[in-house]
Amino acid sequence: YCRTWELANQRSYFAASEGRSTTDAVWRQAVTAQVAVNKGQHAVSVLWDISKFYEMISHRLLAGRARKHGFPMAILRVNLRMYKAPRYISLRGMVSKALCPVQGVVAGCPMATTHVKVYTIEDLDSFILRNPVVQLDLFVDDFVTAAQGTAVEVIEAVGAAAGDLAECIGDSFKCQIALDKAAVVASSD
């Protein structure tokens, strides 16, 4: 059922999907940038790391987005029960009362990347519509935005996309950008 949902909701920006790998996306970006440079244009990629993305996914928002996008709710309910299972903190022989999380997906869970797709798909589709000249790739919890063209085109496109994506990450995903891990890769004359 989940595979069917993923196949029905494939997006070019989901860099690590069935039949695709992060290596494919990296090579595509490299070739696209090299072609731009060979044409005398400029190429810029901005690498974004989302701080504690998996830990910040709201179960309530995930459920609403899953329902809206036709994700199998029975499967999601099982996963959310697992994610919400009681946790205990132990220290020096003492154990806390049970703590039940209301957000976060387990990064090692086989469904985690699918849940990220469900959580982000609507906002990223809107981002693509608002930023048609920018290429977007999502690698689990890392984003890459890229543009090619004249210096002015690239600066305008990447600048607008940066503000838009930062707003999306903060307002819609309820996360923060790890600025210490962000990077800009650009061609030069």
Side-chain angles (χ1 to χ4, degrees), residues 39-106:
K39 291 180 179 178
Q41 296 180 325
H42 298 272
V44 173
S45 293
V46 181
L47 291 67
W48 307 75
D49 182 81
I50 310 307
S51 181
K52 306 213 179 286
F53 189 41
Y54 279 84
E55 293 88 340
M56 299 303 293
I57 291 176
S58 161
H59 295 167
R60 183 184 57 76
L61 290 177
L62 177 59
R65 292 170 185 182
R67 193 173 298 105
K68 184 175 183 177
H69 294 286
F71 188 79
M73 294 307 292
I75 294 170
L76 182 67
R77 280 191 292 276
V78 169
N79 292 146
L80 288 178
R81 284 187 187 120
M82 177 184 67
Y83 297 151
K84 292 180 180 195
R87 309 285 199 279
Y88 301 89
I89 299 172
S90 67
L91 179 66
R92 298 183 185 146
M94 298 179 68
V95 179
S96 72
K97 292 181 182 179
L99 305 168
C100 297
V102 294
Q103 67 185 40
V105 299
V106 179

Side-chain angles (χ1 to χ4, degrees), residues 102-163:
V102 294
Q103 67 185 40
V105 299
V106 179
C109 173
M111 293 298 302
T113 56
T114 301
H115 291 151
V116 166
K117 292 174 183 178
V118 171
Y119 196 72
T120 61
I121 195 167
E122 182 175 355
D123 294 296
L124 296 182
D125 282 352
S126 295
F127 173 88
I128 293 294
L129 291 174
R130 291 188 305 271
N131 299 278
V133 299
V134 173
Q135 296 86 45
L136 175 69
D137 286 304
L138 170 60
F139 303 90
V140 185
D141 63 348
D142 298 314
F143 290 91
V144 176
T145 53
Q148 300 81 35
T150 66
V152 171
E153 291 169 340
V154 168
I155 290 168
E156 287 177 352
V158 171

